[in-house]
Amino acid sequence: MIYLDQSATSLHKPPEVVEAVRRGLSGEYGNPTRGAHTPALRALQEVALVRRAVSKYFDVSPLEVAFTFNATIALNMAIKGALTPQDRVLTTPYAHNSMLRPLYELQDMGMRLDIMPLDKHGCCPIELFVQYLHADTTAIALNPMSNVTGDIAPLDDIIRLCHQRDLLLILDLSQWAGTRAMPSVAQWPRTLIAFTGHKSLYGPQGTGGLINRGNVPLRPMISGGSGIHSFERQHPSTFPEVCEAGTVNLPGIMGLRAGMEWLMTTGQDKVQQHLSTLRERFISGMRTIPGVRLYGSQMADAGPVVSLNIGDLPAAVISDALNERYNIATRAGAHCAPLMHQALGTVEQGTVRFSFSFHNDDNEIDTAIEAIRTLSFQ
Ligand SMILES: Cc1ncc(COP(=O)(O)O)c(C=O)c1O
């Protein structure tokens, strides 16, 4: 199988990840925040090591890292925990439903939500952010890498803008993390960063987290056992406990640490270089096929994601043919990004999405190009 659906989840995990999960299940680890016996303390120590690995990768303090079971939960915790109906929030068509739907829930309670348009290249330049900010805007909620086209928002400029205007930044790094370096954190404003473990950080499903820069106050979204303040009626509002009700996924986050350490050892720049070579090769091949329509800016330095269609064929027909006839895995449809499809005019047709991992090579890209070429003639 040629797996070109990394944006959904990474299929091939480094062997170190599999070994770390196995170790987590090997009978050595107790519950990290329940008990003071040796297996429990060993587990607690392991959680601290994972927190440190995450903080090293994102260049933040371990005290700013909370574990969640995926990016969706982290985004819900950030949006529903930090915002109120009194806020005014700006977002872009890149937003995934994991960000949009919690925003809509707050909008239904009175919060104002502004959605800026894309420019004619399918991008969101900083000028548009400035144009669509209002005097009473309090936050920007941003997915800086479209999971449909791979196009990226100017994150450094947006960070600067939030800093200057004292805006809260809620970031969805589900697609960004692991595919390119983090922007320099020196100028970070108050920021809540959601990330997922199972995509390009090469960790297991059921892992992810929320990073809280600037000690943004959060209301708990889920309450329950925290291992501390057991006689209080309310869940602690201190971070990270406010996000970590119940037992963490210890074998999962041990695997996440192994994935992130593999990434840091391999080198984030090397990974990014490989991904952009694959993307360029794929786009160049697609440009030689009549009838193929590519979406987005097609810029070389975008993320490792490409969306296309062949003529008026429904995207699902192409994706199914790739799977059944060529053993190539892609994803068809809306990719949980409805505003992007409204902007691209693909609400009915959807798009066929190809997304690349460090484990793909030139031969696989060439095979996919020839498969699309053959399908385009049928
Ligand atoms: C941009 C974006 N945000 C959020 C998510 C949701 O991630 P998770 O599966 O970790 O909840 C995804 C993945 O599907 C995504 O692509």
Side-chain angles (χ1 to χ4, degrees):
M1 147 100 15
I2 298 179
Y3 186 77
L4 301 178
D5 197 16
Q6 172 85 354
S7 287
T9 199
S10 47
L11 189 66
H12 301 291
K13 313 291 182 186
E16 295 89 329
V17 173
V18 180
E19 170 53 23
V21 175
R22 192 207 59 77
R23 201 162 56 83
L25 296 169
S26 64
E28 292 172 59
Y29 299 97
N31 192 316
T33 47
R34 316 283 191 276
H37 48 71
T38 304
L41 293 178
R42 200 181 282 132
L44 189 60
Q45 197 172 17
E46 207 61 40
V47 172
L49 291 174
V50 186
R51 233 184 270 282
R52 196 174 311 155
V54 173
S55 73
K56 189 168 168 208
Y57 179 79
F58 286 100
D59 196 13
V60 296
S61 153
L63 299 173
E64 296 172 324
V65 176
F67 297 112
T68 64
F69 299 119
N70 51 47
T72 302
I73 293 178
L75 284 165
N76 272 270
M77 286 177 167
I79 292 166
K80 295 176 187 169
L83 299 175
T84 70
Q86 280 67 50
D87 279 292
R88 180 165 196 167
V89 180
L90 175 64
T91 193
T92 82
Y94 290 180
H96 185 279
N97 270 339
S98 297
M99 174 174 265
L100 275 180
R101 286 177 170 159
L103 286 174
Y104 289 151
E105 282 179 42
L106 273 147
Q107 189 182 29
D108 290 345
M109 291 160 61
M111 188 192 81
R112 278 153 309 158
L113 179 64
D114 301 303
I115 301 171
M116 59 183 244
L118 299 178
D119 71 7
K120 63 176 193 284
H121 307 292
C123 294
C124 29
I126 190 67
E127 295 74 27
L128 277 179
F129 281 90
V130 174
Q131 190 183 330
Y132 280 83
L133 276 184
H134 292 264
D136 55 355
T137 303
T138 53
I140 292 180
L142 176 73
N143 164 19
M145 180 183 287
S146 164
N147 66 318
V148 179
T149 61
D151 277 326
I152 52 173
L155 192 46
D156 282 317
D157 293 338
I158 293 160
I159 287 168
R160 219 167 296 125
L161 183 67
C162 289
H163 200 69
Q164 283 163 2
R165 306 263 188 122
D166 193 26
L167 302 175
L168 171 67
L169 178 59
I170 299 179
L171 268 186
D172 175 3
L173 291 192
S174 300
Q175 295 295 334
W176 182 295
T179 65
R180 58 182 53 220
M182 293 297 298
S184 159
V185 293
Q187 289 298 309
W188 283 97
R190 289 175 297 126
T191 313
L192 294 167
I193 304 172
F195 67 95
T196 191
H198 68 95
K199 298 183 196 275
S200 292
L201 294 176
Y202 293 94
Q205 296 177 1
T207 63
L210 185 66
I211 293 169
N212 187 341
R213 287 285 295 176
N215 210 6
V216 180
L218 290 174
R219 296 176 301 278
M221 200 186 77
I222 300 173
S223 47
S226 60
I228 58 169
H229 307 317
S230 292
F231 291 97
E232 285 178 15
R233 281 168 58 90
Q234 275 155 358
H235 192 82
S237 58
T238 48
F239 193 86
E241 292 83 7
V242 66
C243 297
E244 292 183 351
T247 304
V248 297
N249 173 7
L250 184 69
I253 63 169
M254 287 170 72
L256 174 63
R257 174 183 165 209
M260 296 179 92
E261 286 180 346
W262 171 85
L263 194 58
M264 288 186 270
T265 307
T266 306
Q268 184 64 79
D269 290 346
K270 184 174 165 191
V271 171
Q272 183 179 349
Q273 182 57 48
H274 182 67
L275 296 175
S276 74
T277 306
L278 297 176
R279 177 183 155 95
E280 257 189 282
R281 190 178 186 93
F282 184 78
I283 289 178
S284 304
M286 287 305 126
R287 287 196 179 123
T288 67
I289 306 175
V292 166
R293 196 173 335 115
L294 291 164
Y295 296 96
S297 73
Q298 300 163 42
M299 280 191 309
D301 74 340
V305 185
V306 178
S307 259
L308 58 82
N309 273 314
I310 303 178
D312 294 331
L313 282 174
V317 170
I318 313 288
S319 187
D320 288 349
L322 287 168
N323 183 45
E324 282 155 25
R325 285 156 59 182
Y326 300 95
N327 209 18
I328 297 174
T330 60
R331 184 172 171 204
H335 319 294
C336 307
L339 301 178
M340 212 41 199
H341 289 274
Q342 283 164 9
L344 298 173
T346 49
V347 170
E348 296 300 325
Q349 195 176 12
T351 61
V352 191
R353 183 181 71 181
F354 296 75
S355 50
F356 313 119
S357 98
F358 188 69
H359 298 105
N360 292 125
D361 61 24
D362 289 354
N363 286 337
E364 291 179 317
I365 298 297
D366 293 347
T367 305
I369 293 169
E370 290 319 308
I372 290 286
R373 193 185 308 285
T374 310
L375 288 173
S376 75
F377 288 125
Q378 290 169 2

